[in-house]
């Protein structure tokens, strides 16, 4: 039985048990809530804010900054084209590392993941809440001068400030113009009263043009179709979600639901520290292989979920993997035991 039929069946039962005192539309909403299939695109913004918080773990103020009157759904994918392109590039930093030694493996996924940042995707920027050490996270992602530089090519320090007693760093990606804010403030405040005009470390700033080394690094990234860009950007927006009904989670370094079935993913048998991750492809076709968390089924659900998934995305299981499709693009998910 399909999900829609299950919801309708439960709604009829709720109405019948109320002796028709509950209108069918109200009964349908109650049933959809229990199945995790609320029609978020038709809900008032104020009703979507607490729902988003349940999934993302953001603070209410952060979620409120992410959902406005014109926001689509829960706002995880509602962003500018520049933001979407940057998030797709960021996916190649977050989801490649350790045994894999491709051209984006030095963009520092491993260290960033250890801080378990909470993602707060917004239309005009991506906010990463790293309460323990936002400066450390920024240090890992920002490039330094020279051919041996690590970090995301073209990412620059723009300004640092303090809000609610916590430090925030605004980073600008020159090739796309997209903004990334890394903050210790759970509310993800946009501005503070006390600003620092110079960074604490020797970062490249927005006054430094993209270097030749960075241009070569960016040129090594395969082209992405529009639909594939949306899928890869969606991985970043769903970096650490947890199902509000406790059935799935996408955290990269642990299982927030503490399920016995996930124990086998705790230790990855790799030659270096932590899990092995490889996200690569070209055009419409991309493949993601990894050991450790999350469960592949969990990630497939998160990308296609009725409430929190990418609109129009679907998944099927094939050849021992999960295949997520959106338009003409596909993302194969191969979760391998450590």
């Amino acid at each position: 039985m399909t999900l829609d039929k299950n919801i309708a069946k439960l709604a009829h039962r709720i109405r019948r048990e109320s002796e028709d005192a509950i209108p069918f539309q109200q009964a349908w909403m109650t049933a959809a809530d229990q199945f995790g299939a609320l029609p978020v695109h038709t809900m008032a913004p104020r009703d979507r804010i607490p729902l988003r918080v349940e999934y993302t773990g953001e603070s209410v103020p952060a979620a409120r900054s992410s959902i406005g009157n014109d926001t689509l759904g829960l706002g995880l994918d509602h962003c500018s084209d520049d933001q979407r392109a940057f998030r797709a590039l960021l996916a190649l930093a977050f989801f490649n590392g350790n045994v894999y030694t491709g051209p984006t493996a030095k963009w520092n996924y491993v260290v960033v993941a250890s801080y378990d940042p909470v993602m707060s995707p917004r239309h005009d920027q991506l906010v990463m809440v790293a309460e323990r050490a936002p400066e450390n996270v920024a240090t890992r992602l920002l490039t330094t001068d020279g051919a041996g530089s690590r970090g995301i090519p073209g990412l620059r320090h723009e300004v640092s400030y303090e809000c609610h007693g916590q430090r925030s760093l605004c980073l600008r990606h020159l090739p796309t113009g997209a903004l990334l804010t890394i903050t210790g403030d759970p509310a993800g405040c946009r501005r503070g009263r006390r600003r620092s005009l110079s960074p604490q470390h020797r970062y490249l700033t927005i006054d430094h043009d993209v270097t030749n080394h960075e241009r070569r690094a960016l040129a090594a990234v395969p082209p992405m179709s529009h639909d594939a860009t949306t899928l890869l950007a969606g991985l970043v927006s769903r970096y650490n979600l947890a199902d509000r009904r406790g059935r799935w989670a996408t955290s990269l370094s642990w299982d927030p639901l503490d399920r016995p079935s996930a124990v086998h993913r705790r230790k990855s048998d790799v030659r270096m520290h932590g899990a092995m991750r490889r996200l690569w492809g070209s055009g419409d076709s991309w493949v993601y292989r990894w050991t450790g968390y999350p469960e592949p089924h969990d990630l497939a659900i998160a990308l296609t979920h009725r409430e929190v998934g990418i609109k129009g995305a679907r998944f099927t299981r094939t050849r021992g993997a999960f295949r997520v499709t959106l338009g003409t693009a596909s993302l194969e998910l191969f979760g391998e035991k450590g």
Side-chain angles (χ1 to χ4, degrees), residues 11 47 81 92 113 135 157 169 195 227 296 311 316:
D47 297 327
D81 291 342
L92 299 181
E135 189 83 34
H157 178 273
L169 300 94
R195 289 180 177 269
D227 289 334
K311 190 175 183 180
T316 56

Side-chain angles (χ1 to χ4, degrees), residues 1-12 24 27-29 31-33 35 37-38 306:
M1 186 176 290
T2 66
L3 180 57
D4 287 333
K5 289 182 179 179
N6 282 329
I7 293 172
K9 182 178 179 181
L10 178 56
H12 283 297
F24 180 76
W28 191 93
M29 288 291 286
D33 186 23
F35 278 101
L38 288 171
R306 287 280 287 268

